[in-house]
Structures are given as structure tokens and as C-alpha cells.
Amino acid sequence: MSCLFLLLINYLNLNSMATKSYVGHLSKEIACKQGAVRAVRFNVEGEYCLTCGSDKSVKLWNPYRGALLKTYSGHGYEVLDAQSSCDSSHIVSCGMDKTIILWDVSTGQSLRKYRGHLGTVNCVKFNEDSSVAISGSVDTSVRCWDCRSKKPEAFQIMQEAKDSVSSVQVTDHEILTGSLDGQIRRYDIRNGQLIADEMAQPITSVWFTRDGQGLLVSCLDSTLRLIDKDTGELLQEYTGHINTEYKIDCCLDHTDNHVISGSEDGTVYIWSLVEGQLIARLEHVGSKVVHSVSPHPSQAWILTAAQNSIYLWKDAPEDEK
Amino acid sequence: MTHWHLSMQCFTYVIRLICFITQKLDDIAGKKPIRIEDQEVRDENGRRRFHGAFTGGFSAGYYNTVDTKEGWRPAEFKSSRSDRQKKEQKPQDFMDEEDLGAFGIAPQVLRAKEDFGEGHVSRKRLRPVFATAGAIPGLPALHNLLHPVKETIGIKLLRSMGWKPNQGVGERLTKKEKKERRKKYEETRKYGCDLPSGLQQREIRQQTSDGEETGDESDDQLYAPDDVPAFLVKPKSNLFGLGYTGLMPHHVTASTAPKSGFVLFEPTLKLTDRKKKLQIAGQAFGVGAFENEDEDIYSRDDMSQYDFELGGAKPKKKNSNMLALPCSDVLDGFVRGKQNEPVFKRYPPPVIPKDFVPIHRSLHSRFDVKPMTQAELSGLGRHDLNANQRAAILNEVLSMPPETAQAPAPPETVSTPLTPAEVVAQALIQIKKNIAAQQEKSGQIVQDEEQKVKLEKTTAVSLVIDPDREAKVAKLKSFVESSRTISSFQPFARDLDKQYRFEAFCILSKSNRLAEFHLLQPGNMTAWEREREEVEFDRSLTLYRPLTATMQNRFTSGGHVEENIQGGLVAQIESFLPQETPQPKKIPVVKDPAKQAALRKLFGQLTRKQSQWKPDRLLCIRFNVPNPFPSAGDAQDSAKFVAKGTSGSKFSIFDVLNAVPQAGPSFMSSGYENVPSGPVQGPEIKVQELEWDKAERGELQEKAEPDLVPEVGPSEEIKEEVTEEVPYERPPMDVFRAIFADTDSEEEEEEEEENKEEEDKQVEETKKNQTREQPKPPIVEEMDDDAYGPRLPASGSIGNKVAVVNLTAIQDASNQVEWVERDKAKKKKEHKKDKKKKDKKKKDKKNKKRKRLHSDVGSSSSDEEVDDMKILKKIVALKKLQKL
């Protein structure tokens, strides 16, 4: 409990430091022309973004100008997730064709194609130095693929999940997975431990807080939960949005003051982390489900994806800047 | 005299003059006339172009060879997908230089074109040709082909007066006037049908004289008037409308041709609509407008074409027939068909008997016709469900309007409108009922069958007279019944008897009582049939088995899933519920306490589960994290080992050798000094392995710590005992390796070094732990100098030796060997590059070295070649021993 208290105090301090209120202004809307956009992801620096389309392609954009920089095609079916490496020289993407592809950003060619999953691959993440790609799949397994060597098969397979693995997050020594069986599993490599927390609800998305002390979990009962990493206790719940059917991303902004989540009513919900109050709703006109959200790593900007477009939201109107 | 002299002088002068002139002439003409032999044609390079006929005639290329000194080289042409070359090839690419010269085939000289000049009219300025009415639409074909050789005097005169082709004759006009005139002309000219708009436009554009398009509307600029088509006086010879000429396909070919079935020409014109562009193909020449039709000289001569009577030909009979027919609706050019269209007889579909049931059941015999059971008829109750119930099961309720979902509910519940959840619940209940009913019925049937079988058997018994048999059968049946479970796999579900027998077969085969199976088979079966059935069952059983095995690791365990389904289904049903209807929120019955706690929002210790997880070695390296279990092998080591042992492709004898010590400790006793504490390992490892399985909440680490400290003293005692027991010595590992492995001695040496390093490292690690530990002297005695295998670390200090023992105590033997081998493989990879560079000599050297090493190594294998058979025998013997 003391730990929890400290954490809260910590958050309060942070909150007082960042006084700027979070009001989103739609800065850009880009029609990606690649079918439904399954995911949108900022790169490490937040200069570019990747979109995964249902037309089997991954596209690299400059979201501020709305310029398409490159298209990566080679997947056999819809692409569901992608991430760029820490030096932005590679991209890893996964999709419904059960493969994970490692791309070279500049040439646009696929360097590796990892096959081994028995089903649709839902999510993929690089580790800190982008030497390992970690993927979660419908086949309930999480697989680690070595990007350095030319080893074609996964060097480690985690099969603890009892249902589809919907989300994966990686820190410097942990792998966090959320599964539809209602458990978040944290694989601690440093301690050689697996810590599983029961949520009793199918989990669609997980997110680490920046300080690594909390876990944000998005469940299919239209609730986001903030869990204390050390004790597994519930710190806060965030409700108001709708998430009962789709795999909807949740995330925290760059200051860890705001919880951001998509919703099935075409809006993005933003709560304050500590109070759990709804601060803002970003309406996406004409779309039903906002399923992918990506926060800018250093600004209060968000990229969201709904239907076949992506939207860039900034904290202040353009002309002021 | 003087006169003569003068004349003589004059003469000489003249002669001199002549001489001079001739000389001069000679000088001018060249001293020697060039002989014919010297008159050679040479090209610019001084090469001779023409030879005599016997020396090759015309020469080309490089001294009558192709192209260059180096021979013929085709021009480079490279085109790839990324760098597409769009260069079109020209004939010039294939020509020699000479061909492009002034006298070549394609001289590259600027010269006036033939059609450039006074008389010629460029295509652009061609006189407009007006489409004339004719057989061929569009411009007259001949006009394009034939041009006048010379221009007429009229045109010449006009030209000299300033007329230009494509212009009309007359006063020059302003643009406005011209337009008006054109309009007028258009109006007056129009007769016949309108042309399509596109054509019209084009025609107008053609008529406009040059320079007009660019000009502006100013009045002071004058233009030549438009050209007017020459008016042709053409007498009208038919009764068609003005300007009409029909397209008649058989116009050109003789009228006799189609009759005789011989078509010389294709139809004159084919109008094809290809790619939406009107194409006109076919024969373009016809009979001229002013010419009479020629006699068709190409068509076959026919007697019908001759007149046999004087006077005009009589009207043909056929024509009269045609006219006599009442069918005036037959179009000109068409002939009435002689054959009637075949009329297909239509048969009505067969009438389905009222008692027909659309279920197929194979008959066993004609006399044993069983009526359809209710269970069979209803199937699994699918047919009892109505559309709504099915929709509810398939989650389609939400998409349906609520009225339709409620309206056709079962009659007994009509009074109360059903929520979709209730519909689902009802449907589920019904399905369950059906299943239960079916099971009950099938049970009854089985019982019936049993009775029947019994009856049959009694009859059989009465024939065979075997009093024991019945008792046996009853016993067997009771046994089968007791151990019978409802299995999902029912390959003979159609025949319940057979299915029952199959289940019995399964049970009996499990309990090794297959010999008694024939008792269960009905007595009326022949021996052959029985045998066949057994074979069939056996096969389906083998088919059934591996499936479960292969599927097992793909699915989660049944218990967990069922539990999930229960909760999940309730949740789903709840999600169906409309938001308005207030429903007491049920907390689904969940057995898992963690889940219960989570549902009550009691997150924390209750919902948390910690367990040990072994990250892969590589994962630790890649994450730059120290391996939490440095001593333990990789997470998948054991799995790998199993795979190695069973997979056919990479099976090696070492797998067997490695597998042996795992099973029993006694084997490792002697002669295998690089794993000195073999006997101690066995039990210890087992404990450790179990702990791996059990290990939870990090208990292992505390437990394992003390285990790491081996009690060397007793181990040595055991070792000695065992050595006494074992009757013969196992040849050292290196012998096998020398025989079976294809490693090089150098690698081995390196490997040894590697081992040393590794061990040293571990020594250092363990040293710290072992400072309190007493040194155990007997080990030093145990280690012979002649020991085979990788050398031990330098035995300088006692602590080292302890460490060695310690190390081996931690690692089980198989693991270590495994490790060594893998390491070797790694080494091999690294060496591959170097290897390539090494030449043969070195290899020879290596071989020699290896031989030497072998002789060094084995006291028992001092004779360099060890018989393979011997070793294999020994392995077999060892195995036997182990079994004992």
C-alpha cells in the first residue's frame, strides 16, 4: 500500500508540473488509400509514422505534411501491426498471413520473413535495441525472433496464454503480453519470472507507464485499468468509452498524465491518469470505431486511425505555433 | 630552196608541236593508263570490297568475316525490371558501317525527298476528298492509292495565279463571310441521312483551309474560300432514295456462289466492332459505280447459267413458289428454313412419396429393414429449431429487428415476449434435451441390440454348445460397460452395433484383451467378416490415436476451456440484452478464485500468480541482461534433446550414447574421467529435474544453492563400489568421437581450450562459494594421467579440483556432453571461412596429426583402428547391463 501511495504522489507531482490541459485539435487527416488502416504507429522520434493497411501494405508517412514516403508491400494478407526500429532503419510488421516481416526502410525490401506462427499474428514489437522482434499471435503463443542472425525460427516461444495474444509491450528487461484469456503476463527476463495477473476480462491492449511502475490494461468490458506492477493492485479505472468487440489500442501520453484510448463510438477518450476523469473526447466525424492510437514520444500529439484514414491531433491549433 | 627549207622548218615545228601536245596530253592523262586488274574498289579503310567470284565475291565485315577482329559480338542489351530499357530496335542496329555510307543500303545523307517539290502535294495539303456514296463507306479507296503522275494544266494555271491546294477558287473572303457561306452550303448540301456527329465534325475540319484556325475574327484579314466538291453528274439508275446504296454482302460474288456452296471470296465487307472502334475489313474493290457488273469468271460454271431456249428466260419456278407462299414476312436475302426447330419433350419432376425421409441409411440385408428411429430422424435437433433460435445461437440477434425476433417464438411462450437471451437459453435447453434423448435412445438401442445379440448367441450356442462362452461374454460385456466412456470419436455412428463393438475393441485393446474380442462379435458373422472387422477397427484406432496427440499441443486443456465457455457464454448472452430491459446482473459462477477476485475488483495477491520462467540464453544476451539461470541449459534443451533423439535426419550415434547415461548412473563409472562424478550425478540430477517442474515462486533457488555443494567424500565411495561392480570398461568418449565424428584435431584442441576456459570461469565463480569447503584429496588420486577426453584444468590448486567436481555435480552428464557438442558445432561454423583458405597440404598435415593424436590417446586403442563392430557390441552390452 505504501508503494501505491508513493506512486500516487509521484503522479500528482508530475501532474502539477505539466499544467497544460489536453485539448485536441485536428491538425491533419490523411486518407491512406490502403483499405482499412489496421494500425498507426509513430516512429521512435515521432517524425514519421507507419500505417498498416488491409490491402497487405505498410506505408511510411510524414504525418505533418501528409506525404507518403514509401510503401512496403510483401505481406500475403492484411497487415495488423508494425513498428520501426530504434534507429528507424528497419521496420517489423506482422499480419494475418501468419508471418512477420523485417523491412529495410530505405530500400523497401524485406530482409527477413519469419514463419512459425500457426495463426494470425496480432502484434509485434522490437526490443530496446531492435535486435529481437517479439510477436503475439492468435495461436496463443508469443515468439521471439532474432533479427541479428539469419535464424529462421523463433528462438523462444512462450505458450502460457490460453487464448489469442492481443498485445505485446517490451521494456529493457520485460515482455508484457495481454491475452484474450483475461490475463496479463509479464515475463521478467532479469529475474526469470513469469507474473500473471488475472483481469477476468479479455484484454485487448496493454501499455507500460513511462516509469515502469504501472500497467495500463484495456479490457473488453469497456474499462481501462491501471495496475500496479509490483503488487498487482488496481490503481485506477477509466470508463466512459465503448470497447466490447474490437481490438482497440490504449496508451499514455508522453508525460504519463493522460490515458488515451480509442472507442467504438468514433471518438478518442482522454482521461487524467490520477483522477480518472474524462478530460477530452476527440470526435472523428463519420467514423464508427477508432481502433488505433499512437502517442507522440515527446509532444502532446496523437495519431489515431479510423476506417481508412489517420488523424493527427495536436494540443494547440496550428496557427498558434 | 628557201621555200622548201622554210616548209621543212615549218614541218618540224609542227611535228614538235604535235609531240609537245601529245606529251602534254600524256602528262595530263597520267603516265600509264590504269589496268583493269588495278581498278579495285576499296572502302574507307583501304579494304578490298570485291573479289573475284572464286575468292568470295563480295566482302563484308572484317576480311570477309563477321564484324571485328575479335569476332562477332552482339550489341549489349540490358533491361531489368527496375531499369527498364525502352529503346526500340531499329534496322540500323543490325547494319554495318558501310551500309550507312553513301553507297550503302541506308545512306545517311541529307537529300531531298522524292515527294518534295513543285508538283507534289504534301499529305497535309491534300485536296479534300469528299465521301462519295458507294459500296465502301468513308473515303474512296482508290483515291488514296492512286495519285496523278502529272498535274493537269488547269491546276498548273491556277497555281501560277496564286492558288494553293486545298483552297477554293474565287474571291477572298473575310472570316465572317466564309462562315456564313459554309453554313449555307451545309444547309443546301444536305440530302440523304445525317452522318454521325463525329464524322461530320471531322469533315468540316478537313474542309477548312489552312491558316484559318489560327486567324482571329478581324475583318481586314481575308481568306481563300473553301473548296467545293466537284459536282458529278450521275444519272439515277435505281428506285432507292436519293444517295442511297445498300450494302449487299453478295453483291460482288456471283449470285450462284452461295447456292453451289462454293464461296470464292469472303463477304466483301466485314463490319467488326472491336475495341469499340469501327473496323471495316474485307475486300475493298467492287464494281465501279459506272460499270456494269462483270460476269463472275471465278464462280463455277453451271449448266443453269445457260439458256436452253430461245427467247427470254422464263421466270423461275422457285420464285413463283416463294411468291405463292403466304409468308411475305420473309426478308429479302433470307430463306425460309426447311427444318423445323426440334421440340424438346419436357418431363415433369418425379412425385416424391409422402413418407419419404431425406436420410440415407445403408441396408445390411433385404430382410432386416429397421424403421427409422426418432433420434435418427431428428438428428441433433437442428430441425426443431426455428430460424430465430438458430439466429440467436449464431449471434445474429442484434442485427435483427426485435419484432421479428419475438414474433415466431414457440407457442407456449407467446404470451410473454422473449428476450434474445431467453431464446438462446431455450434453444440450448432444447439441444441438450435432444442430445440426452438421443443418447438415451441409442442406449436403448444398444440394449436391444445386446438382447438380440444374446438371442443370436443363444442360437449360436445351441448350435456350437459352449456353456462357458455365454458366461464369458457376459463377463466381458460387464467389463466393457464398466470402462466405457462416451467418446467423441464415433467412426461407425451409423451402425450402432458396430460402434458399440468398436468401443469395446478400443477398451479391450487398451487392456490387452483383444483375444476375447471375437466373443462380442455377432454369431452370424463369418470368420472372414470378423477378421476384416478387426482389421478395420485396428486401423481406425491407429488413425484416431495420433490425431489427439498432434492436436493436443495446439489446443488448451479441456477443463479450462469449458470453464471459460461457461463464463463466456453467459457474458455473451448478457451482451445480447437490450440496454432498456433491467436485468439483475448475475455474477457468473466462476470456479477460479483468481477470476472471482478479479470480478470483485480485488486485484492484488489474489489475482497474481508468479512462476518461474526460463528465458532463452539468446534472449538474455539480446536484452543485455544477465541470465537468471546460468547453470541451467536453455529452456528448450530437453525438448531439443528429445527431438534430436527421434528425428531421423540428424540422428547420430552420440544421441544414443548421451541418452544412455541419463537412464542409469552405473554406466558412467569408469574411464570417463572428464565427467568424474558420474555416479553421484544420477540421483542429484533427478531431484533437480523434478524441482524444475515443480519450481514455483523462486523456491528453487534457495533449495538449489545447498545442492550445488556436492558431498564429494561419499560420492567417491560410491564410485569405487560401482567400478567394482562393472565387469568391463567402457571405451572413452574420444574413441567414439574419433571413429564417428568428422572433426579435425585442431578443432578438438581448440575445443579443449574452450572447455578449459569455460571451466576456469566456473571455477572462479564457484571458488567464492567454496572457500569454506574442505578440499577433497581422493579426487586427485582418481584422476589418471592417462585419462581420455578433454583435459582437465591445470590441477595446480586443490580448490580447482573441487570446483571441477562441483561443476559436474551441477550439470548432468548428458547436458554437458550436449554442451560440448554444440560448442563444437559453433566452432565449426567459425572455422568454415578459414577452412576454405587452407590448402590440401594442410589437410594432409591435419590427418597425420589426428592419427598421431589417436595413438596418443588410447591405451586400449593403441592399434590405431578400432573395430566399429566391437564398439557397437559394447554399446549393446552396456545397454543390457543398464537394464539389469
Side-chain angles (χ1 to χ4, degrees), chain A residues 283-294:
Chain A
E283 297 254 1
H284 292 62
V285 180
S287 48
K288 285 176 184 167
V289 182
V290 183
H291 54 266
S292 186
V293 180
S294 179

Side-chain angles (χ1 to χ4, degrees), chain B residues 132-283:
Chain B
T132 50
I136 308 147
L139 299 175
L142 271 180
H143 201 281
N144 289 334
L145 292 173
L146 305 178
H147 293 285
V149 178
K150 265 202 260 176
E151 284 179 331
T152 52
I153 187 72
I155 285 174
K156 268 184 187 169
L157 277 172
L158 276 172
R159 226 184 221 159
S160 63
M161 285 163 73
W163 174 84
K164 277 170 192 160
N166 216 9
Q167 285 183 349
V169 185
E171 262 184 306
R172 293 179 82 83
L173 307 163
T174 58
K175 193 155 191 178
K176 218 177 187 181
E177 283 175 317
K178 207 175 162 184
K179 252 184 194 169
E180 276 167 20
R181 196 180 271 200
R182 194 180 292 163
K183 218 178 206 175
K184 214 170 151 192
Y185 170 74
E186 285 294 320
E187 276 163 12
T188 52
R189 201 178 75 107
K190 200 178 272 176
Y191 46 80
C193 307
D194 267 337
L195 279 168
S197 57
L199 269 173
Q200 226 166 6
Q201 287 291 322
R202 208 190 309 156
E203 214 168 20
I204 288 162
R205 217 176 300 133
Q206 267 181 351
Q207 283 166 22
T208 54
S209 52
D210 52 324
E212 193 195 76
E213 279 95 13
T214 53
D216 45 5
E217 293 276 322
S218 60
D219 278 5
D220 35 285
Q221 198 156 2
L222 297 173
Y223 298 97
D226 284 338
D227 204 359
V228 179
F231 181 67
L232 294 173
V233 183
K234 184 180 165 192
K236 188 161 168 54
S237 60
N238 51 27
L239 295 173
F240 294 133
L242 277 177
Y244 175 82
T245 46
L247 277 177
M248 283 174 283
H250 55 278
H251 189 247
V252 178
T253 49
S255 54
T256 51
K259 250 189 275 168
S260 58
F262 172 74
V263 183
L264 185 73
F265 296 114
E266 286 187 65
T268 12
L269 282 172
K270 266 191 250 167
L271 287 159
T272 49
D273 192 29
R274 216 165 156 214
K275 285 179 190 169
K276 289 179 184 171
K277 203 174 168 188
L278 196 69
Q279 262 194 342
I280 300 169
Q283 204 176 8

Side-chain angles (χ1 to χ4, degrees), chain B residues 795-823:
Chain B
S795 53
S797 68
I798 303 158
N800 270 4
K801 277 153 213 159
V802 174
V804 170
V805 176
N806 183 24
L807 166 84
T808 46
I810 296 160
Q811 291 180 325
D812 59 277
S814 66
N815 224 353
Q816 199 190 18
V817 176
E818 172 82 1
W819 170 79
V820 166
E821 279 192 21
R822 215 159 356 105
D823 209 72

Side-chain angles (χ1 to χ4, degrees), chain B residues 92-105:
Chain B
Q92 277 83 344
D93 296 341
F94 301 95
M95 288 179 181
D96 290 329
E97 282 170 31
E98 290 87 0
D99 295 333
L100 304 174
F103 303 105
I105 326 164

Side-chain angles (χ1 to χ4, degrees), chain A residues 127 131-132 146 148 155-156 162 171-172 187 189-190 192-198 229-230 232 234 237, chain B residues 556 594-595 598 601 603-604 607-616 618-619 622-623 625 628-629 636:
Chain A
N127 72 332
S131 56
V132 179
D146 192 7
R148 288 261 171 84
F155 63 83
Q156 179 141 32
K162 297 282 187 290
T171 63
D172 56 343
Y187 298 90
I189 301 162
R190 202 184 275 161
Q193 277 191 325
L194 162 63
I195 298 121
D197 283 316
E198 177 70 48
K229 193 180 89 172
D230 293 330
L234 182 69
E237 274 191 335
Chain B
T556 52
K595 224 166 227 184
K601 295 193 179 175
F603 292 99
T607 56
R608 174 154 286 203
K609 249 185 215 167
Q610 287 196 358
S611 55
Q612 201 125 35
W613 171 69
K614 276 188 281 181
D616 193 90
L618 187 59
L619 195 69
R622 289 276 181 263
F623 272 76
V625 162
F629 307 107
Q636 288 143 334

